[in-house]
């Protein structure tokens, strides 16, 4: 059983590269698929294929021989990115998801796990900072995050239809703000924890950093190792319905900056930019069903996870600064 072939799509990305390492360590035969290789470390997959899953023929080749599929490939980024690229994101993600599901059906894949998002929950349930944690059934009546969230919700439904009509055994995880090393940390696709870590790493003691919004918007954050543990458990479970995967510790963005500044040992002042996109006012995960179904929930303390993430981002910032003078010295004048 453990030598069965597991395909991870999005294996060149943040969560995918962590998941591949875990599955390979557990003894699975792993094929990673992505349109780009992993950026920060060589893949731990036994095979790695560069494929564009927006194309049906590529998705078909990517999933040949697969017994299990973790479908993580997506065009995604932080709130600034998904707000500014709605058409591109919905087009890419609906194509990737439909072609991946259809290829899985055609190849008789035993189990297919789709990486969904807390962005499927309706805005009107998330309009206060002290928000009620979101239960899975709260996704309906639907009013998902415009663009990215609707595409995720649509694929959740597609998973259900493929299960009910075609017998493809599907699983759906709704991620709540996954963070950790090996994720995007600059360039616009990074999420709040990596962006805050970068800004603090680039600041000097007493400096001011920019925070999007008034800083009182709230979220819960889940370390990538907990996310991977949850994915492995959900894939092994018999639960076919969407399941939250996150923590239920609500923190404000200002508090997040405070935690990172403490890890860095720096005094940081905040400048709030109210013109920047911030998403919903508050968002938290209700983990009641997660505990019932998996007998487990994420447990890595935010302080520990942020310390590790900060050290990793700081090393990237330092490495880039060291590369920059050399590059300009060696480049054309
Ligand atoms: P990521 O951007 O690091 O990984 C996604 C990967 O998909 C990238 O490596 C990208 O190159 C690949 N990809 C994009 N288009 C592709 C295509 N056409 N063909 C093949 N590969 C393609 O993001 P991540 O944080 O690792 O997210 C993984 C999954 O989890 C995504 O589906 C994302 O929507 C979902 N998710 C993540 C979070 C989070 O907090 N990180 C929250 C909710 C949902």
């Amino acid at each position: 059983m453990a030598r069965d072939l597991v395909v991870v799509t999005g294996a060149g990305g943040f969560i995918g590269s962590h998941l591949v390492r875990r599955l390979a360590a557990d003894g699975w035969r792993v094929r990673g698929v992505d349109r780009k290789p992993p950026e920060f470390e060589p893949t731990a997959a036994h095979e790695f294929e560069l494929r564009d899953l927006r194309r049906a023929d590529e998705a078909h080749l990517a999933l040949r021989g697969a017994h299990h599929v973790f479908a993580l490939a997506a065009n995604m980024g932080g709130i600034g990115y998904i707000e500014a690229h709605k058409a591109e994101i919905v087009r890419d993600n609906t194509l990737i998801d439909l072609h991946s599901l259809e290829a899985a059906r055609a190849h008789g894949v035993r189990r297919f796990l789709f990486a969904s998002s807390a962005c499927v929950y309706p805005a009107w349930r998330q309009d206060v900072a002290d928000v009620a944690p979101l239960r899975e059934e709260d996704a309906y009546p639907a009013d998902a995050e415009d663009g990215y969230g609707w595409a995720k919700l649509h694929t959740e439904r597609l998973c259900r239809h493929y299960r009910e009509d075609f017998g493809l055994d599907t699983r759906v995880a709704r991620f709540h703000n996954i963070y950790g090393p090996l994720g995007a940390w600059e360039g616009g696709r990074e999420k709040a924890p990596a962006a805050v870590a970068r800004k603090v790493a680039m600041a000097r003691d007493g400096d001011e950093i920019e925070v999007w919004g008034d800083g009182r918007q709230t979220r819960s954050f889940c370390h990538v190792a907990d996310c991977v543990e949850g994915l492995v458990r959900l894939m092994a479970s018999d639960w076919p319905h969407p399941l939250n995967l996150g923590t239920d510790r609500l923190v404000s963005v200002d508090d997040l900056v405070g935690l990172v500044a403490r890890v860095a040992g720096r005094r940081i002042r905040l400048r709030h930019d109210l013109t920047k996109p911030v998403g919903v006012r508050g968002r938290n995960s209700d983990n009641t069903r997660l505990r019932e179904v998996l007998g487990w929930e994420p447990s890595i303390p935010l302080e520990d996870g942020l310390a590790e993430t900060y050290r990793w981002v700081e090393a990237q910032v330092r490495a880039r600064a060291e590369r920059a003078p050399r590059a300009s010295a060696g480049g054309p004048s």
Side-chain angles (χ1 to χ4, degrees):
M1 184 72 175
R3 294 309 291 170
D4 285 354
L5 179 66
V6 183
V7 172
V8 177
T9 77
F14 164 47
I15 302 170
S17 46
H18 286 273
L19 177 62
V20 160
R21 189 175 324 112
R22 164 68 187 269
L23 294 170
D26 285 354
W28 296 93
R29 194 155 59 88
V30 184
R31 178 187 301 147
V33 175
D34 203 298
R35 66 174 168 180
K36 66 166 179 65
E39 202 175 326
F40 304 109
E41 284 185 357
T43 183
H46 303 95
E47 311 161 27
F48 192 93
E49 297 188 2
L50 289 176
R51 299 203 178 277
D52 186 344
L53 297 169
R54 290 174 301 182
R55 289 179 42 178
D57 57 336
E58 292 272 278
H60 197 76
L61 285 170
L63 266 56
R64 71 195 185 284
H67 297 100
H68 293 78
V69 175
F70 288 89
L72 270 58
N75 185 347
M76 70 97 74
I79 186 71
Y81 183 83
I82 65 174
E83 280 288 305
H85 299 85
K86 287 179 192 161
E88 180 192 305
I89 284 175
V90 174
R91 178 198 63 199
D92 286 3
N93 292 350
T94 47
L95 286 170
I96 291 169
D97 296 347
L98 178 59
H99 291 149
S100 301
L101 270 166
E102 185 53 22
R105 183 194 66 79
H107 288 297
V109 162
R110 276 188 220 138
R111 211 165 265 181
F112 181 99
L113 188 151
F114 171 61
S116 187
S117 166
C119 289
V120 301
Y121 287 111
W124 54 269
R125 288 195 191 274
Q126 306 172 80
D127 53 5
V128 289
D130 187 20
V131 64
L134 294 154
R135 298 162 305 167
E136 285 77 358
E137 54 271 33
D138 292 338
Y140 297 96
D143 177 22
E145 180 112 26
D146 197 21
Y148 175 78
W150 275 107
K152 289 289 188 191
L153 194 62
H154 174 259
T155 302
E156 288 194 0
R157 297 299 284 206
L158 214 49
C159 285
R160 174 173 152 185
H161 300 319
Y162 267 63
R163 177 167 51 79
E164 290 176 351
D165 294 0
F166 296 146
L168 178 65
D169 197 12
T170 53
R171 302 284 177 271
V172 174
R174 288 184 186 152
F175 296 165
H176 289 250
N177 296 304
I178 313 304
Y179 73 96
L182 309 185
W185 60 277
E186 64 171 350
R189 286 187 188 258
E190 66 280 15
K191 307 284 211 62
V196 168
R198 183 195 71 237
K199 290 175 186 182
V200 172
M202 293 175 72
R204 286 163 309 189
D205 193 39
D207 271 0
E208 188 179 80
I209 68 166
E210 181 189 276
V211 173
W212 288 12
D214 67 5
R216 283 178 297 205
Q217 65 272 31
T218 55
R219 297 291 185 273
S220 67
F221 298 94
C222 176
H223 190 274
V224 65
D226 273 334
C227 174
V228 164
E229 180 66 31
L231 286 174
V232 168
R233 285 175 181 255
L234 179 58
M235 184 63 115
S237 81
D238 58 4
W239 188 254
H241 309 292
L243 193 64
N244 282 332
L245 184 44
T247 72
D248 54 9
R249 176 177 168 192
L250 199 59
V251 295
S252 72
V253 170
D254 279 358
D255 289 342
L256 185 73
V257 178
L259 289 172
V260 174
R262 196 167 317 144
V263 168
R266 274 178 210 154
R267 281 164 305 165
I268 296 291
R269 290 175 301 116
L270 307 180
R271 184 179 71 256
H272 293 107
D273 186 342
L274 303 181
T275 67
K276 290 289 192 340
V278 289
V280 294
R281 188 67 176 152
R283 174 176 288 156
N284 199 4
S285 174
D286 184 318
N287 284 353
T288 310
R289 187 152 310 136
L290 177 66
R291 286 190 292 268
E292 275 167 19
V293 169
L294 301 187
W296 167 92
E297 70 182 313
S299 62
I300 297 172
L302 186 58
E303 286 76 3
D304 297 354
L306 283 179
E308 181 198 17
T309 307
Y310 176 75
R311 282 193 297 274
W312 182 81
V313 171
E314 191 191 30
Q316 306 305 310
V317 169
R318 216 179 310 117
R320 189 188 56 185
E322 282 163 12
R323 275 194 310 270
R326 274 207 305 277
S328 57
S333 55

